């Protein structure tokens, strides 16, 4: 039976509520899902409760944006206690920095003549974690761009005039934190980084799995990362990275779903 372990709700940069996602997953025939919002677990309770109610296994999840000298690396965490106070304290710091960053991005956009305010962005992120896709939605709303990707190319991407970084954990810190709250860490979408030479370092620091199945991975990348998983004894995971209306390309919930058995193997990696 299929499992989708990479999903974003409207509590980060997706557009569907956690409860709706669980319902959609059930309808799509998925048996296990995880909502892996960026740097927060605001949706965990709603999703887990809904899963219990309608009979679908909801595993706690998160996707940390971590920082390395030359690249950003996303570290997924699963099976941890989403109510752990140590975790929540760190997440609060990350959320605060994400909010402050929106003000800085808006200042830069205003400086180049765009009429946009922080409130325009927060109207999209609501009580959740604000991110660049919310800025993109606000820019689209105002007619400054004709699709979300254009926002990254013209304004808020790494090389754009309104790019602003935010406080991030190092990959080692993220892996350590996930472990300390009872979870297992997975290197998200290894095929999207500038290079993947850092994977052995993540393994040395306690990485438990690697996201082999991912919508933008080409067949040869899937093969490559499967081999890396065997080489380093990592669990193999996968998922859609569904973001609702903020999804990249035409990604649907359940795309790149994996057999339940792989989720069991991932769980066995908890130390
Ligand atoms: P943030 O975490 O706020 O820096 O925003 C990063 C998020 O923006 C990613 O998780 C994707 O959802 C989205 N994203 C990144 N690059 C692009 C792009 N080129 N086009 C559309 N969405 C993107
Ligand atoms: Fe995202
Ligand atoms: Fe990611
Ligand atoms: Zn993601």
């Amino acid at each position: 039976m299929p499992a989708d372990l990479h999903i974003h709700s409207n509590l980060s940069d997706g557009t569907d509520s956690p409860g709706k996602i669980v319902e959609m997953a059930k309808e799509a025939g998925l048996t296990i899902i995880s909502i892996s919002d960026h740097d927060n677990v605001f949706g965990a309770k709603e999703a887990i409760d809904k899963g219990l109610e309608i009979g679908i296994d909801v595993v706690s999840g998160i996707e940390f944006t971590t920082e390395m000298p030359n690249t950003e690396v996303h570290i997924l965490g699963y099976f941890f206690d989403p109510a752990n106070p140590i975790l929540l304290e760190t997440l609060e710091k990350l959320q605060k920095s994400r909010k402050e960053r929106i003000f800085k991005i808006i200042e830069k956009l205003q400086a180049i003549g765009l009429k946009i305010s922080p409130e325009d962005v927060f109207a999209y992120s609501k009580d959740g974690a604000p991110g660049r896709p919310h800025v993109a939605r606000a820019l689209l709303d105002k007619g400054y761009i004709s699709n979300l990707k254009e926002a990254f190319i013209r304004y808020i991407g790494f090389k754009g005039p309104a790019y602003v970084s935010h406080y991030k954990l190092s990959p080692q810190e993220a892996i350590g934190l996930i472990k300390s709250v009872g979870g297992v860490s997975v290197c998200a979408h290894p095929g999207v980084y500038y290079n993947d030479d850092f994977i052995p370092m993540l393994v040395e620091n306690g990485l438990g799995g690697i996201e082999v199945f991912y919508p933008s991975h080409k067949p040869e990348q899937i093969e490559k990362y499967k081999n890396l998983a065997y080489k380093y004894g990592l669990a193999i995971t996968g998922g859609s990275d569904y973001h609702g209306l903020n999804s990249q390309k035409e990604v649907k919930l359940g795309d790149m779903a994996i057999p339940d058995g792989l989720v069991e193997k991932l769980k066995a990696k908890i130390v």
Side-chain angles (χ1 to χ4, degrees):
M1 285 302 189
D4 186 342
L5 295 185
H6 195 153
I7 303 170
H8 296 275
S9 81
N10 62 359
L11 294 161
S12 68
D13 54 2
T15 56
D16 298 318
S17 71
K20 167 138 190 255
I21 288 168
V22 177
E23 281 172 357
M24 287 166 62
K26 175 93 179 170
E27 268 168 42
L30 295 168
T31 46
I32 307 176
I33 65 159
S34 181
I35 293 183
S36 53
D37 274 326
H38 297 289
D39 300 330
N40 85 71
V41 291
F42 296 141
K45 189 176 174 345
E46 181 182 324
I48 290 166
D49 288 353
K50 185 55 123 186
L52 289 170
E53 183 192 323
I54 66 173
I56 170 165
D57 205 352
V58 178
V59 169
S60 63
I62 191 161
E63 182 176 22
F64 283 106
T65 303
T66 75
E67 193 158 48
M68 304 240 306
N70 302 315
T71 187
E72 208 179 70
V73 177
H74 292 188
I75 301 286
L76 294 155
Y78 299 108
F79 296 111
F80 54 84
D81 171 13
N84 184 293
I86 299 168
L87 174 71
L88 296 179
E89 195 183 314
T90 303
L91 297 185
E92 203 167 306
K93 266 194 248 167
L94 294 169
Q95 290 310 319
K96 187 163 171 274
S97 171
R98 277 186 170 274
K99 278 219 179 82
E100 288 166 357
R101 168 201 197 206
I102 298 297
F103 289 95
K104 292 182 195 156
I105 292 176
I106 294 300
E107 262 176 39
K108 289 194 168 193
L109 289 172
Q110 287 173 345
I112 55 170
L114 276 66
K115 292 190 172 46
I116 183 169
S117 71
E119 289 67 37
D120 296 328
V121 177
F122 295 133
Y124 280 108
S125 62
K126 303 217 173 64
D127 296 332
R132 285 181 291 166
H134 300 116
V135 179
R137 295 275 294 198
L139 288 169
L140 187 64
D141 228 21
K142 299 201 166 279
Y144 288 120
I145 49 167
S146 52
N147 60 66
L148 297 176
K149 200 168 180 63
E150 200 183 330
F152 287 82
I153 296 166
R154 288 180 58 186
Y155 300 114
I156 55 178
F158 190 60
K159 294 196 174 122
Y163 175 78
V164 179
S165 185
H166 58 99
Y167 164 62
K168 299 182 189 82
L169 301 180
S170 67
Q172 296 93 322
E173 286 171 327
I175 293 169
L177 177 62
I178 292 163
K179 185 176 172 207
S180 74
V181 296
V184 58
S185 305
V186 170
C187 177
H189 42 63
V192 314
Y193 308 119
Y194 176 64
N195 74 51
D196 52 26
D197 299 347
F198 54 81
I199 291 174
M201 181 279 286
L202 300 183
V203 175
E204 274 167 37
N205 281 278
L207 191 76
I210 182 165
E211 193 175 47
V212 171
F213 297 98
Y214 187 74
S216 73
H217 282 174
K218 298 185 182 74
E220 58 271 24
Q221 288 177 310
I222 291 178
E223 206 46 40
K224 174 184 179 185
Y225 295 119
K226 257 191 207 168
N227 288 332
L228 269 186
Y230 297 136
K231 179 173 174 188
Y232 293 111
L234 297 168
I236 289 171
T237 75
S240 61
D241 208 358
Y242 175 75
H243 281 71
L245 298 174
N246 289 344
S247 294
Q248 299 207 35
K249 304 223 180 83
E250 281 97 39
V251 167
K252 292 187 303 300
L253 192 69
D255 282 356
M256 306 310 279
I258 55 170
D260 287 0
L262 288 182
V263 184
E264 282 308 309
K265 286 189 179 164
L266 176 67
K267 195 172 183 181
K269 286 278 166 196
I270 297 172
V271 286

